Amino acid sequence: MAAHLTAREQQWTLRLRAWLPTGGMLPADAWDRRHRWILKIIWAHAVVLGLVSFALGNGVLHSAFEGGILAACAVTATLWRADRRISTLVASVGLLTGSAVLVHLFDGRIEMHFSYFIMVGVVTLYQDWLPLLVAIGYVVLQHGIASIIDPSLVFNHQAGIEHPWRWAAIHGAFILVMSAVGLVSWRMNETFQTRVIQREAKLAEAQHLAKLGSWDLDLATGTMDWSEELGRLLGLDASRLTPSLEFLLSHVDAADRPALEHGVNEALRTGVAFSGDFRVQTSSNEQRWLHGTADVTSVVDGRIAVISGTAQDITDRKLAETELAEALSQLNATLDSTADGILVVNTGGFITNLNERFRELFGLPETLTTPLAREEVLSIVLPQVKDPDKFMRRVEDVAEHPDGRSEDVVELHDGRTFERSYMPQRVDGEIVGRVWSMRDVTERIRLEVALSHQAFHDSLTDLANKALFTDRLGHALARAERSMRAVAVLFIDLDEFKTVNDGLGHTAGDLLLVAVANRFRGCLRATDTAARMGGDEFAVLIEDVTDEHDAEVVAQQLLDALEEPFTISGTDL
């Protein structure tokens, strides 16, 4: 049973501790405000009670002594202000001494004892157990000791005069009970302050993580408050300086200061919010980029009363933007210097980038700036393409299957030929767009065709050479075998050709060979092949021959064509 009661007592003790305020010194700024106000109360008591004493018929020295005791307490509390604990205790004693003097001046009247209740309530504003307990102890001791010296100083009833310590304890108990109201208020204030401190701590932590400082400017008083983070962004200790708008602007880079001053002044004048980026010079001569805002947060009687703002460190973002701009500049310069036309299309079908070479290839106007709809470019490109349907089929096929790479050829009406290649654009493995490149291969194809023609044609007569004739003959024989048709081959050489070379020169001989080749072309079908086998020797391949007569007819046509005279360099041959 005893153990059960002990546990219950412990439980009640815990509950009581949970209900009672924690106590302890207030935060410096809160303590300073309340302490100044309490010192003013003590000084007011010193002056008023001195005058009351004199008015009640006490002499000047006596009255001065009454007020001087309180003045001494106020002076001592002020001098010891650096030690908040001592200054608090002295001020608390001063408050209760004021009540004691008041009771003494009115010969211990019971009504005047209410002053003690009031002063103890004032002491609870310190929210500290030590001054409260000192105040209660002061009441008990002062009542008991003073009543022994002169009961009329404290009590004006017989019971108090006969039993001073008993009534001193009773008064102390009353004071303690009446302090309950102050304790409730104290507890509520502590709860509120704890929540405020927690919120401020969370706000400070959030500001630190976000590198975001804040400030408030009271236009009526001209005072400005900074958050710790704002001071940290400037490399300063905000608690060791007097913040001001001028001081903040003095750290702004000279090039950015006019715009910032104008924005803040406009916010002050019109109430329109301001935001902008600016550079600051920290105390360690480091340049940082901040994004600042300013906005009206309080208006009194139609006038702007308070303006608040923030400043966030965006140096890393600015550096990243600079690096990105440089990278994009290099990329664009690279794209513009390449011989290929480059076009970038996102997954939504919008063209996000194109280089100058692409504009040149298709004659796109400078007014077409990215991003732009795909149709705007197609409306210019498609009319230039020989086979627009084929062109669009490839575009749509890539849109449906964007994960592969491919190449094809695009021919334009003006004779140009482009190689078109495609590859997907990926970010972290995900396709975010398509990259098309166009390369003008017109000259290369022309060169390839020319080289191929030269490899299989006689350079003088432009007839097929021996290699091409042999190849075509092989194909003709294979076809003839399958179709059961015949093939004829005629061999021709020019009589007395050496006489022409010797008599008129090799140039005349070459001109004669060219003229002979032209006459052969005029006699043959498109399916027949005439070739120069070397020197003045020629061969003719005739396909789809039914009998020897067909070959004889062609041979006679060739001989007849050669019967006509040739005029070379003014000489008939």
Side-chain angles (χ1 to χ4, degrees):
M1 183 67 178
H4 176 69
L5 291 176
T6 302
R8 179 176 295 180
E9 290 172 356
Q10 291 177 351
Q11 186 179 13
W12 278 104
T13 301
L14 292 174
R15 288 181 179 179
L16 181 62
R17 288 180 179 178
W19 180 84
L20 290 174
T22 304
M25 297 297 292
L26 288 167
D29 55 343
W31 177 88
D32 188 64
R33 289 193 297 269
R34 296 186 185 188
H35 193 60
R36 285 200 305 265
W37 181 71
I38 289 172
L39 289 179
K40 290 178 181 179
I41 294 176
I42 297 173
W43 278 110
H45 275 68
V47 174
V48 172
L49 291 180
L51 294 175
V52 169
S53 177
F54 184 75
L56 291 175
N58 297 317
V60 175
L61 292 178
H62 184 89
S63 300
F65 177 76
E66 302 279 10
I69 297 175
L70 300 178
C73 291
V75 170
T76 303
T78 302
L79 293 176
W80 284 87
R81 194 168 186 145
D83 190 328
R84 291 194 291 156
R85 177 69 71 186
I86 294 178
S87 187
T88 298
L89 292 175
V90 173
S92 300
V93 170
L95 289 171
L96 273 300
T97 300
S99 296
V101 171
L102 181 64
V103 172
H104 158 64
L105 290 177
F106 287 91
D107 300 324
R109 289 184 184 176
I110 194 66
E111 294 86 350
M112 297 303 158
H113 282 260
F114 285 100
S115 173
Y116 287 107
F117 300 135
I118 296 173
M119 293 302 116
V120 171
V122 173
V123 171
T124 59
L125 294 177
Y126 282 116
Q127 296 185 195
D128 190 352
W129 278 107
L130 182 59
L132 177 61
L133 295 176
V134 166
I136 295 173
Y138 179 96
V139 172
V140 175
L141 291 175
Q142 186 268 334
H143 278 52
I145 294 173
S147 62
I148 292 175
I149 298 172
D150 183 0
S152 64
L153 294 175
V154 182
F155 303 112
N156 67 344
H157 56 88
Q158 191 63 34
I161 296 173
E162 293 177 355
H163 306 284
W165 285 105
R166 179 189 300 173
W167 281 93
I170 292 173
H171 278 240
F174 273 115
I175 291 291
L176 182 60
V177 172
M178 291 297 294
S179 298
V181 177
L183 291 177
V184 171
S185 175
W186 178 359
R187 179 60 178 159
M188 293 175 64
N189 285 338
E190 273 192 349
T191 302
F192 174 74
Q193 287 177 351
T194 299
R195 291 175 180 173
V196 169
I197 291 172
Q198 290 175 345
R199 284 198 297 268
E200 288 180 348
K202 290 180 179 179
L203 176 61
E205 181 181 4
Q207 287 193 354
H208 183 61
L209 292 174
K211 296 182 179 180
L212 176 69
S214 59
W215 55 268
D216 298 288
L217 176 61
D218 189 324
L219 300 182
T221 62
T223 56
M224 189 176 190
D225 291 325
W226 284 2
S227 68
E228 291 184 6
E229 185 61 25
L230 181 55
R232 190 179 295 113
L233 293 179
L234 299 176
L236 304 169
D237 186 351
S239 63
R240 296 187 178 182
L241 54 86
T242 303
S244 67
L245 185 59
E246 293 73 18
F247 186 77
L248 175 61
L249 292 173
S250 68
H251 283 74
V252 177
D253 188 272
D256 301 331
R257 194 177 304 154
L260 182 60
E261 288 179 338
H262 176 74
V264 173
N265 289 333
E266 282 298 296
L268 290 171
R269 186 178 66 86
T270 64
V272 177
F274 161 80
S275 66
D277 299 342
F278 55 90
R279 290 159 291 183
V280 296
Q281 203 75 18
T282 67
S283 59
S284 58
N285 291 325
E286 179 186 10
Q287 190 178 76
R288 309 289 293 175
W289 273 99
L290 302 182
H291 176 74
T293 65
D295 198 4
V296 174
T297 54
S298 178
V299 177
V300 178
D301 296 332
R303 289 187 173 185
I304 298 174
V306 178
I307 185 170
S308 303
T310 61
Q312 185 174 23
D313 189 336
I314 57 170
T315 305
D316 293 341
R317 192 192 80 190
K318 284 290 185 179
L319 290 176
E321 289 177 352
T322 300
E323 292 175 359
L324 178 60
E326 291 176 353
L328 289 176
S329 177
Q330 293 175 359
L331 176 61
N332 288 330
T334 302
L335 290 177
D336 288 338
S337 64
T338 184
D340 295 351
I342 305 296
L343 189 73
V344 182
V345 185
N346 65 18
T347 53
F350 283 87
I351 296 172
T352 59
N353 199 0
L354 56 87
N355 67 350
E356 289 302 316
R357 181 57 176 159
F358 192 91
R359 291 181 186 274
E360 294 173 3
L361 291 177
F362 290 101
L364 299 182
E366 293 291 335
T367 53
L368 283 180
T369 57
T370 56
L372 54 94
R374 185 185 68 172
E375 287 69 21
E376 293 183 70
V377 173
L378 289 176
S379 65
I380 300 175
V381 171
L382 283 181
Q384 304 180 49
V385 177
K386 274 189 176 181
D387 191 344
D389 292 336
K390 175 186 173 183
F391 186 94
M392 286 304 300
R393 280 197 302 271
R394 184 70 192 122
V395 171
E396 299 302 334
D397 181 60
V398 165
E400 294 177 7
H401 308 90
D403 54 343
R405 299 179 62 173
S406 64
E407 293 184 358
D408 65 345
V409 175
V410 177
E411 295 181 341
L412 304 188
H413 290 298
D414 60 10
R416 289 182 296 165
T417 302
F418 295 159
E419 278 186 352
R420 175 175 57 172
S421 62
Y422 156 79
M423 67 175 57
Q425 180 187 12
R426 301 178 187 273
V427 174
D428 295 332
E430 181 180 353
I431 297 176
V432 297
R434 304 183 289 277
V435 180
W436 293 91
S437 67
M438 293 285 188
R439 177 173 297 180
D440 190 341
V441 294
T442 307
E443 292 303 320
R444 191 191 77 191
I445 290 178
R446 286 176 181 171
L447 179 60
E448 290 174 353
V449 171
L451 291 174
S452 177
H453 186 82
Q454 291 175 12
F456 295 101
H457 291 77
D458 177 58
S459 60
L460 177 63
T461 63
D462 202 33
L463 295 178
N465 60 14
K466 186 176 181 180
L468 179 58
F469 185 83
T470 302
D471 181 71
R472 289 187 178 179
L473 176 59
H475 286 288
L477 291 173
R479 285 193 296 272
E481 185 177 357
R482 290 194 302 270
S483 62
M484 303 301 292
R485 305 279 290 182
V487 174
V489 177
L490 306 176
F491 289 97
I492 305 166
D493 103 350
L494 302 180
D495 295 336
E496 303 297 332
F497 181 73
K498 186 175 183 303
T499 302
V500 175
N501 273 340
D502 294 341
L504 298 177
H506 288 282
T507 301
D510 290 344
L511 293 174
L512 177 60
L513 292 174
V514 171
V516 169
N518 288 334
R519 290 193 183 184
F520 284 170
R521 289 191 188 91
C523 298
L524 298 176
R525 299 170 301 175
T527 57
D528 299 333
T529 301
R532 182 187 176 200
M533 307 302 285
D536 61 348
E537 296 177 348
F538 296 86
V540 176
L541 172 62
I542 306 171
E543 298 189 50
D544 296 326
V545 175
T546 55
D547 53 33
E548 294 181 358
H549 177 71
D550 290 343
E552 291 174 354
V553 171
V554 174
Q556 189 59 50
Q557 290 176 346
L558 294 175
L559 292 174
D560 292 344
L562 296 177
E563 288 293 331
E564 294 291 328
F566 292 90
T567 302
I568 304 297
S569 300
T571 303
D572 292 334
L573 300 177

